[in-house]
Amino acid sequence: ASLDTVQLVRRPVAGVRQVALRAEVVVPPGDHKVRVGVQISPRTGSIFPGDSLRVPAVLGDTLELSALLIGQPTRGLSWAVTEADTAWLDPVPVYSANDTVTVYAETYGAQLGTEYQVRITVTRQRSGLAKLLGGGRDAIALSERTPLDGERSRLRRALALGGLEAGNYILELVVEGGGSRTSRRRGLTIRD
């Protein structure tokens, strides 16, 4: 799949260091390689390094998770989940220790009538030596049992970052039940 699009962007005001835009591309389920190129003028542009993308099968009976969206309504890109519901995505997930973020994901292929264990963890990334000396414990962990609606369920949780120390963290969402387990991970940074 590919997309060639033009989006008009007003010149940012002084002090703005990034501009975030969204473009939708329909791709089949599976693991894909993604590469993005941005051109500002015929002589100015950039091709970003390739990345990987896992697209879930939204139809079927295999438990799958969408990508994790982490964001704040005042800062992120909006995505209309339904006419009355919006999810938020911060393109650069950098927060302060006092922030509360929204974590959003969708599940597909859950078994009706089955309770699932949903677990969200935030773990600090540590060096090899720090891990040997006892690092790597979850800084935040939320866990609950909940039924999922089968074809598509929405998981949305507010996550208070609760005074985390400055550093890099991995946020992981795990859904387990009915003999299946699936997970997604995403990085975030806490700044001073």
Side-chain angles (χ1 to χ4, degrees), residues 53-78:
L53 174 69
R54 186 174 96 203
V55 178
V58 298
L59 301 175
D61 57 2
T62 301
L63 182 64
E64 298 223 32
L65 268 174
S66 70
L68 286 176
L69 301 185
I70 307 170
Q72 295 178 306
T74 57
R75 294 179 26 190
L77 294 173
S78 63

Side-chain angles (χ1 to χ4, degrees), residues 93-172:
V94 177
Y95 304 101
S96 75
N98 299 318
D99 285 341
T100 296
V101 297
T102 300
V103 177
Y104 178 89
E106 295 180 352
T107 64
Y108 312 104
Q111 298 173 13
L112 285 173
T114 301
E115 271 201 349
Y116 287 83
Q117 184 73 35
V118 176
R119 182 170 166 84
I120 299 173
T121 57
V122 177
T123 306
R124 181 143 187 210
Q125 291 181 302
R126 303 261 188 196
S127 68
L129 180 59
K131 286 180 187 176
L132 289 173
L133 297 174
R137 293 184 306 262
D138 295 337
I140 298 174
L142 304 172
S143 185
E144 67 178 301
R145 294 195 62 76
T146 186
L148 301 176
D149 103 4
E151 189 173 307
R152 179 171 87 175
S153 290
R154 294 175 182 94
L155 299 172
R156 178 191 309 274
R157 302 296 179 267
L159 186 65
L161 300 176
L164 294 176
E165 295 177 16
N168 294 319
Y169 292 80
I170 296 293
L171 183 142
E172 182 176 34

